[in-house]
């Protein structure tokens, strides 16, 4: 009887253990005595490690010894700080820190000289370390959904940067350093506090996509019309009343766009002065002809 009772208790315990919460992969590996390097995945392009959604409030110490890793995903955790040891991972090409609780980045991020892609979106950053400008190979940078109001002037050194997302921050004006980033083809400044776009925007000669929706912009600068590469200009939800006469020079804008994902000119939800609302309703060709004729009359 006692033996049968013990057997039943053991079975119940085994069932309980099986139904318990599953350990994160890295904890499971360490408890099993496995080498942390066994967590690395070797793809065709990168040696990668993903610790996404592990509920981490701090980074595991073993991480900084994985010098081989080139692609690291620590997104959607509860990380409050990234230690200076980050600088040891000098082979990193892609780093995703999005969706955490970071208030700052370590200055040692500047040691990641091979970094090409960095996501720090959806955190609590108020500033960006000047040392990030030492990552001269950086091509893609997302700092969206933070509390940033300015960028360090040293950002002018990020000459390889092609895509920059600064949306949902606290910028009152476009940082001057951005106008030096001549390789930019994508710039997102939506949902900030911008009141104008500086004439210096014309220096972004390779810009294809410019998003400034949901700001307080009152007018578009004439110089914007000289960026012949523009294919998408989103100025929805602003305070724009008039449009520059030279807007018709943006020949790569194919349509008046209403879907946020479409290329073209987005100018909805602005207090456009008459007769612009009716002209816009007629489509882009009608708008461009109106602006061209207006310019010739003047």
């Amino acid at each position: 009887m006692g033996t049968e009772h013990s057997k039943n208790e053991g079975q119940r315990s085994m069932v309980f253990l099986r139904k318990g919460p599953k350990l994160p992969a890295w904890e499971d590996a360490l408890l099993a005595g496995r080498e942390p390097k066994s967590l690395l995945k070797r793809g065709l392009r990168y040696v990668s490690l993903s610790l996404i959604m592990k509920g981490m409030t701090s980074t595991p110490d073993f991480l900084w010894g994985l010098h081989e890793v080139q692609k690291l995903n620590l997104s959607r955790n509860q990380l409050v700080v990234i230690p200076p040891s980050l600088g040891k991972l000098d082979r990193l090409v892609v780093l995703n820190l999005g969706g955490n609780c970071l208030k700052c980045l370590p200055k040692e991020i500047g040691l990641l000289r091979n970094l090409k892609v960095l996501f720090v979106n959806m955190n609590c950053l108020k500033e960006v370390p000047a040392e990030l400008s030492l990552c001269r190979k950086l091509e893609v940078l997302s700092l969206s959904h933070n509390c940033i109001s300015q960028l360090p002037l040293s950002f002018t050194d990020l000459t390889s940067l092609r895509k920059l997302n600064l949306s949902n921050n606290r910028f009152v004006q476009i940082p001057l350093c951005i106008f030096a980033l001549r390789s930019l083809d994508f710039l997102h400044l939506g949902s900030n506090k911008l009141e104008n776009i500086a004439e210096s925007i014309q220096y972004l000669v390779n810009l294809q996509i410019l998003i400034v929706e949901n700001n307080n912009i009152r007018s578009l600068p004439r110089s914007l019309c000289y960026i012949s590469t523009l294919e998408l200009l989103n100025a929805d939800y602003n305070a724009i009343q008039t449009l520059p006469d030279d807007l018709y020079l943006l020949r790569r804008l194919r349509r008046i766009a209403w879907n946020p994902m479409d290329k073209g000119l987005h100018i909805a939800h602005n207090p456009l002065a008459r007769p612009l609302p009716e002209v816009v309703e007629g489509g882009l060709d009608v708008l461009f002809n109106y602006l061209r004729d207006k310019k010739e009359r003047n």
Side-chain angles (χ1 to χ4, degrees):
M1 184 75 177
T3 302
E4 185 176 349
H5 176 75
S6 300
K7 182 178 179 180
N8 290 337
E9 285 295 322
Q11 289 175 341
R12 279 198 293 270
S13 298
M14 289 177 65
V15 171
F16 174 78
L17 287 172
R18 282 200 298 268
K19 290 184 177 180
K22 186 178 180 180
L23 288 171
W26 62 272
E27 289 185 2
D28 189 32
L30 295 182
L31 287 176
R34 288 162 55 196
E35 168 67 35
K37 288 186 178 181
S38 65
L39 297 171
L40 298 176
K41 294 184 178 180
R42 300 178 185 274
L44 294 176
R45 295 187 62 188
Y46 301 125
V47 177
S48 63
L49 173 62
S50 178
L51 298 177
I52 183 175
M53 293 182 66
K54 300 300 182 185
M56 297 186 299
T57 55
S58 62
T59 52
D61 290 339
F62 76 81
L63 181 59
W64 315 120
L66 301 177
H67 303 294
E68 300 169 75
V69 68
Q70 297 169 287
K71 187 176 181 180
L72 177 61
N73 191 342
L74 299 176
S75 65
R76 300 176 69 181
N77 281 286
Q78 300 169 35
L79 301 175
V80 177
V81 65
I82 299 294
S85 302
L86 173 66
K88 295 179 180 180
L89 303 183
D90 56 5
R91 295 186 186 180
L92 277 181
V93 177
V94 180
L95 175 59
N96 191 341
L97 300 172
N100 280 286
C101 307
L102 302 176
K103 294 184 178 180
C104 63
L105 294 173
K107 63 181 181 180
E108 286 78 8
I109 198 168
L111 298 175
L112 307 181
R113 303 298 169 86
N114 291 302
L115 196 64
K116 291 186 177 181
V117 179
L118 175 61
F119 291 96
V120 204
N121 52 297
M122 300 183 71
N123 276 279
C124 306
L125 299 182
K126 291 185 177 180
E127 59 183 13
V128 183
E131 288 79 6
L132 182 58
S133 62
L134 297 174
C135 301
R136 303 291 171 81
K137 295 182 180 181
L138 198 63
E139 297 179 4
V140 178
L141 174 60
S142 178
L143 296 168
S144 70
H145 294 83
N146 278 284
C147 305
I148 305 168
S149 58
Q150 58 186 356
L151 295 176
L153 288 176
S154 60
F155 261 46
T156 56
D157 294 332
L158 294 176
T159 54
S160 297
L161 198 63
R162 295 186 300 106
K163 303 186 187 302
L164 177 60
N165 190 338
L166 298 173
S167 63
N168 290 273
N169 275 285
R170 298 179 180 177
F171 291 99
V172 176
Q173 61 184 11
I174 301 177
L176 291 176
C177 59
I178 288 181
F179 302 128
L181 305 179
R182 306 297 168 83
S183 296
L184 275 187
D185 58 43
F186 175 97
L187 177 59
H188 195 338
L189 283 157
S191 298
N192 277 281
K193 300 180 179 181
L194 302 180
E195 295 186 357
N196 62 70
I197 299 175
E199 295 286 346
S200 301
I201 193 74
Q202 66 182 312
Y203 296 125
L204 301 182
V205 294
N206 291 300
L207 201 61
Q208 297 177 23
I209 295 177
L210 175 61
I211 303 173
V212 289
E213 64 176 348
N214 195 29
N215 279 284
N216 301 310
I217 298 170
R218 294 183 173 85
S219 64
L220 298 176
R222 182 180 181 185
S223 64
L224 181 64
C225 305
Y226 304 138
I227 306 178
S228 60
T229 51
L230 267 184
E231 297 178 0
L232 189 159
L233 172 57
N234 189 339
D236 287 346
Y237 294 98
N238 276 283
I240 298 171
Q241 296 185 27
T242 62
L243 296 175
D245 292 345
D246 288 334
L247 196 67
Y248 68 88
L249 296 174
L250 298 178
R251 294 185 175 88
R252 293 198 182 183
L253 297 180
R254 299 297 186 187
R255 71 187 80 174
I256 299 292
W258 306 99
N259 187 318
M261 301 302 294
D262 287 344
K263 290 184 178 181
L265 174 63
H266 298 252
I267 199 65
H269 304 285
N270 279 283
L272 295 173
R274 292 186 177 278
L276 283 176
E278 292 79 8
V279 174
V280 169
E281 286 288 337
L284 193 64
D285 288 341
V286 174
L287 173 62
F288 280 1
N289 288 335
Y290 168 81
L291 293 173
R292 188 184 295 109
D293 293 343
K294 179 183 174 187
K295 181 181 179 181
E296 290 175 356
R297 289 196 302 270
N298 294 337

